[in-house]
């Protein structure tokens, strides 16, 4: 895509099943995005070029997903002034905790907004990117408000269904 609003970079194509959660959210809100594979360790120059060139392509937010040592988000944050959201990917002997620590323990001056490990984190990365974009887009802000209202309604519906089951169980 020529001018995506969000650039999603994964350390490996094996991260795609998790990062599909991000793409679902971005699509739901009509946010344009591009997904790329680039490694902080295996292709550092490519990664630096993607990060450094993102602002010139009018990207507004970068989401970086990686597992294991997970230096991708930090390397990207070092090469850009754009907000970077990190998504730790589970797996390896530490089940993603190493990736979480690598992202969240950045040195002062190189911030990475770090999400939860795995699919919930990938979904939240998409939502956080939308929230950032909504600061300058009232239509997107309205969509977010409706989304949050729907989440609340879904909880109320689940509670009502539970109450019906409990009442049926008690009266039987």
């Amino acid at each position: 895509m020529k001018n995506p609003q969000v650039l999603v970079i994964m350390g490996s194509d094996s991260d795609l099943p998790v990062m599909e959660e991000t793409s679902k959210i971005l699509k739901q809100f009509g946010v344009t995005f591009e997904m790329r594979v680039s490694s902080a360790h295996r292709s550092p120059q490519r990664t630096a070029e993607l990060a450094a060139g993102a602002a010139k392509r009018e990207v507004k937010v970068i989401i970086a997903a990686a597992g294991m040592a997970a230096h991708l988000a930090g390397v990207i944050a070092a090469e850009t002034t754009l907000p970077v959201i990190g998504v730790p990917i589970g797996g390896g002997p530490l089940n993603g905790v190493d990736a979480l620590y690598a992202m969240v323990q950045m040195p002062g001056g190189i911030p990475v907004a770090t999400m939860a490990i795995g699919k919930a984190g990938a979904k939240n990365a998409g939502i956080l990117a939308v929230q950032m974009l909504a600061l300058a887009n009232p239509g997107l802000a309205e969509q977010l408000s409706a989304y949050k209202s729907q989440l609340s309604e879904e909880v109320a519906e689940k509670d009502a269904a539970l109450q019906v089951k409990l009442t049926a169980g008690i009266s039987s």
Side-chain angles (χ1 to χ4, degrees):
M1 174 168 285
K2 186 177 180 186
N3 290 319
Q5 295 170 286
V6 177
L7 174 59
V8 179
I9 304 177
M10 298 171 282
S12 171
D13 62 345
S14 64
D15 301 336
L16 184 58
V18 171
M19 296 311 294
E20 286 175 337
E21 296 300 315
T22 300
S23 68
K24 286 178 193 174
I25 290 293
L26 296 175
K27 287 176 186 175
Q28 179 178 341
F29 286 94
V31 171
T32 58
F33 66 97
E34 176 179 80
M35 292 185 118
R36 305 294 296 265
V37 173
S38 193
S39 170
H41 300 108
R42 294 180 298 266
S43 58
Q45 184 173 351
R46 172 185 167 77
T47 299
E49 288 169 2
L50 281 169
K56 293 175 192 157
R57 295 190 312 123
E58 299 180 28
V59 168
K60 303 293 185 231
V61 181
I62 299 175
I63 298 173
M68 305 295 283
H71 293 105
L72 183 62
V75 167
I76 290 169
E79 295 287 343
T80 186
T81 58
L82 296 174
V84 176
I85 303 170
V87 179
I89 303 294
L94 300 178
N95 294 319
V97 173
D98 51 344
L100 173 67
Y101 285 162
M103 287 181 196
V104 80
Q105 292 289 47
M106 294 303 301
I110 310 296
V112 172
T114 306
M115 300 294 103
I117 298 168
K119 288 186 176 186
K123 182 175 184 175
N124 283 342
I127 294 168
L128 182 57
V130 172
Q131 289 175 323
M132 290 173 175
L133 295 169
L135 292 171
N137 184 330
L140 210 48
E142 287 178 25
Q143 287 182 57
L144 274 168
S145 181
Y147 175 80
K148 297 277 184 158
S149 292
Q150 182 170 344
L151 291 177
S152 180
E153 289 171 18
E154 288 172 5
V155 170
E157 290 169 6
K158 289 176 183 181
D159 180 57
L162 173 64
Q163 299 312 309
V164 168
K165 286 181 185 178
L166 291 173
T167 301
I170 292 172
S171 62
S172 300

